[in-house]
């Protein structure tokens, strides 16, 4: 099987999963959601990639969090980030007035951009109730720092 066919199969499966998650949001009683954005540099392609996940409430189950998409960024500015968020919501028929919160990874490259992105998304029509730093990302960074410190300590003691 060629790589093109494999990529097409992956794309089709991903689209089906994405449509299922979006239909869960459309069919939920509250129809409100929050967006979680994380940015990383693809060192092989030398590009910035933004992941988009949504959290939403289905009254029959606890809060759900689902990954939905990767977006390529031309720059990590607030304007570029907010444009991708708004485009994603509009493309997927997610009303901005139902967007209640945003969470970002808090990386240094995003720190100044976050406030601008948050404000620009709000100006685009989102009814934002809160913004939060992604604490799971902070926990991951603390864990990696701890592991690296232990490796350093082991190498110094041996």
């Amino acid at each position: 099987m060629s790589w093109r066919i494999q990529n097409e199969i992956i794309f089709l499966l991903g689209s089906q999963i994405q449509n299922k998650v979006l239909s869960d949001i459309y069919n939920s009683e509250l129809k409100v959601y929050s967006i979680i954005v994380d940015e990383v540099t693809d060192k092989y392609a030398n590009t910035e990639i933004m992941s988009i996940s949504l959290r939403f409430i289905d009254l029959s189950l606890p809060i759900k969090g689902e990954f939905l998409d990767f977006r390529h960024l031309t720059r990590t500015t607030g304007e570029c980030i907010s444009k991708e968020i708004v485009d994603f919501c509009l493309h997927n028929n997610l009303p901005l007035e139902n967007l209640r919160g945003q969470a970002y990874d808090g990386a240094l490259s995003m720190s100044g951009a976050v406030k601008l992105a948050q404000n620009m998304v709000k100006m685009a029509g989102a009814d934002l109730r809160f913004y939060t730093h992604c604490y799971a990302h902070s926990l991951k960074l603390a864990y990696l720092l701890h592991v690296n410190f232990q490796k350093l300590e082991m190498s110094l003691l041996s």
Side-chain angles (χ1 to χ4, degrees):
M1 188 180 317
S2 77
W3 62 269
R4 286 190 177 119
I5 293 173
Q6 291 173 5
N7 285 348
E8 187 173 338
I9 291 170
I10 291 168
F11 174 79
L12 291 171
L13 290 172
S15 295
Q16 289 296 315
I17 293 168
Q18 191 176 46
N19 289 338
K20 170 67 174 113
V21 171
L22 289 169
S23 73
D24 287 350
I25 296 172
Y26 302 147
N27 296 327
S28 70
E29 292 180 39
L30 297 176
K31 297 182 184 359
V32 295
Y33 62 96
S34 292
I35 196 161
I36 302 167
V37 175
D38 193 5
E39 172 269 330
V40 67
T41 302
D42 180 348
K43 64 182 178 182
Y44 300 107
N46 199 26
T47 59
E48 302 291 332
I49 299 173
M50 179 174 81
S51 69
I52 298 177
S53 300
L54 297 181
R55 292 193 67 167
F56 60 98
I57 299 172
D58 183 353
L59 294 179
S60 63
L61 297 169
I63 296 173
K64 289 181 165 183
E66 303 284 351
F67 163 78
L68 280 178
D69 203 1
F70 283 116
R71 294 289 179 118
H72 290 277
L73 296 173
T74 53
R75 297 185 356 228
T76 55
T77 63
E79 186 177 348
C80 199
I81 294 165
S82 63
K83 181 185 180 313
E84 288 298 327
I85 291 171
V86 171
D87 287 351
F88 171 82
C89 292
L90 295 177
H91 175 76
N92 290 294
N93 298 317
L94 292 167
L96 286 171
E97 56 270 10
N98 292 354
L99 177 58
R100 294 294 191 262
Q102 297 178 69
Y104 295 92
D105 67 355
L108 199 54
S109 65
M110 296 274 283
S111 61
V114 164
K115 287 184 181 164
L116 182 57
Q118 176 187 352
N119 289 332
M120 292 181 82
V121 171
K122 195 170 189 172
M123 287 188 313
D127 184 16
L128 293 175
R129 303 298 166 103
F130 67 92
Y131 154 75
T132 185
H133 175 81
C134 184
Y135 291 104
H137 186 75
S138 296
L139 181 62
K140 175 185 154 196
L141 293 175
Y143 171 76
L144 291 174
L145 183 64
H146 175 71
V147 168
N148 287 335
F149 181 73
Q150 281 187 328
K151 286 180 186 176
L152 177 64
E153 191 176 61
M154 294 295 282
S155 67
L156 290 174
L157 294 175
S158 56

